[in-house]
Amino acid sequence: MKSLKKDLLKEEFKVVEIFRTIEGEGRWVGLPVVFIRLEGCNLRCSWCDTTYSYDGKSYTVKNLYDILSQVKQYNLKRVCITGGEPFMTENLDVLVKVLLDEGFYVFIETNGTMWNEKFREIKKDNLYITCSPKPPFYFVNKNILPYISELKFVVDENLSVNHIIKPEFTEILKNDIIVLQPESNKPEMVEKALKIQDELLKLGIESRIIPQCHKVLGLP
């Protein structure tokens, strides 16, 4: 951090929590990671399990120096920025760029509805963006599409194959980066995920069914 400008280290963020756990969802599942949960979300999903991330009172304002200091205490190389919706944080690009410059692999979990133009200036190396489109429209901002590393769909009562094979997802679907995540690990949603997986196979599309593994292990 010695090489970072003092003004940059003073950049402030609304942080709900920073903690060490394993990645419980998607293709990074099982890997040790430091979570940075930022405050705020533009959606209100009925099954959201982190409503405290947007209640407007569960956050602490931290500057970049304090965030980096806390992250480095865990001595890990992977950082996941989540929420809520992290792209609601206007200076998210600053946090991401600094983490990348400090040698971390950075993983962002987003619903895909928002965008930050300054991300065009960030190199994609070591930056992994998981987009989890949300019901009822499963809308994804066209500007973020080229940056998506993984599509993850929560399998709930709303999800259908048509939500997955939308034209704007065509290029991503070609790369076999589709994750089906049964809502809250419910048995009936596991069954539905298997059916959707079979429907996708008939279209020549492979997908992975991955539950919320951190919950299976009793981890945050």
Side-chain angles (χ1 to χ4, degrees):
M1 290 189 285
K2 292 181 180 179
S3 61
L4 296 177
K5 295 180 180 178
K6 290 184 178 179
D7 289 343
L8 188 63
L9 290 173
K10 293 179 181 178
E11 286 273 348
E12 293 184 334
F13 301 84
K14 294 180 178 179
V15 179
V16 175
E17 55 187 345
I18 299 175
F19 59 97
R20 185 247 196 253
T21 185
I22 65 163
E23 177 53 54
E25 303 175 1
R27 289 199 170 184
W28 274 26
V29 69
L31 289 170
V33 66
V34 180
F35 265 69
I36 301 175
R37 190 180 305 282
L38 299 177
E39 199 274 339
C41 189
N42 60 326
L43 300 181
R44 295 294 183 270
C45 300
S46 61
W47 33 254
C48 179
D49 57 3
T50 54
T51 55
Y52 61 92
S53 66
Y54 54 80
D55 64 11
K57 59 184 180 182
S58 298
Y59 68 88
T60 302
V61 176
K62 294 179 180 288
N63 61 40
L64 191 53
Y65 178 85
D66 291 335
I67 293 172
L68 285 175
S69 296
Q70 191 169 348
V71 167
K72 288 186 174 184
Q73 288 178 2
Y74 295 104
N75 197 30
L76 297 179
K77 61 182 180 181
R78 294 180 178 85
V79 176
C80 176
I81 303 175
T82 186
E85 171 49 53
F87 274 91
M88 282 197 72
T89 299
E90 292 185 4
N91 54 347
L92 176 65
D93 59 292
V94 175
L95 176 59
V96 171
K97 188 176 186 304
V98 167
L99 286 169
L100 290 171
D101 288 346
E102 290 286 306
F104 291 99
Y105 293 93
V106 178
F107 177 32
I108 300 177
E109 293 186 333
T110 176
N111 60 41
T113 60
M114 306 183 74
W115 175 242
N116 181 328
E117 276 295 318
K118 293 182 180 179
F119 265 69
R120 298 188 189 278
E121 304 167 9
I122 298 176
K123 293 182 180 180
K124 295 182 183 180
D125 297 344
N126 298 336
L127 175 60
Y128 193 92
I129 296 181
T130 285
C131 176
S132 182
K134 297 296 192 293
F137 304 113
Y138 297 89
F139 166 77
V140 172
N141 189 302
K142 66 179 182 179
N143 292 301
I144 201 173
L145 287 169
Y147 294 82
I148 293 174
S149 308
E150 170 186 281
L151 277 173
K152 179 180 67 180
F153 293 89
V154 175
V155 181
D156 61 3
E157 61 182 12
N158 300 290
L159 186 70
S160 72
V161 169
N162 289 333
H163 294 129
I164 298 173
I165 59 171
K166 294 172 70 174
E168 56 265 41
F169 298 152
T170 300
E171 290 302 314
I172 304 173
L173 290 170
K174 289 179 182 178
N175 295 323
D176 177 29
I177 41 182
I178 306 302
V179 171
L180 303 176
Q181 179 179 296
E183 178 203 341
S184 304
N185 297 348
K186 295 177 180 177
E188 63 269 29
M189 294 307 162
V190 172
E191 184 178 348
K192 182 175 180 178
L194 287 165
K195 291 179 179 178
I196 290 177
Q197 187 179 60
D198 284 343
E199 290 181 63
L200 290 172
L201 280 172
K202 292 176 182 177
L203 299 173
I205 301 169
E206 286 196 318
S207 59
R208 299 186 184 193
I209 298 176
I210 304 177
Q212 291 179 294
C213 294
H214 57 294
K215 291 186 177 180
V216 175
L217 298 172
L219 297 173

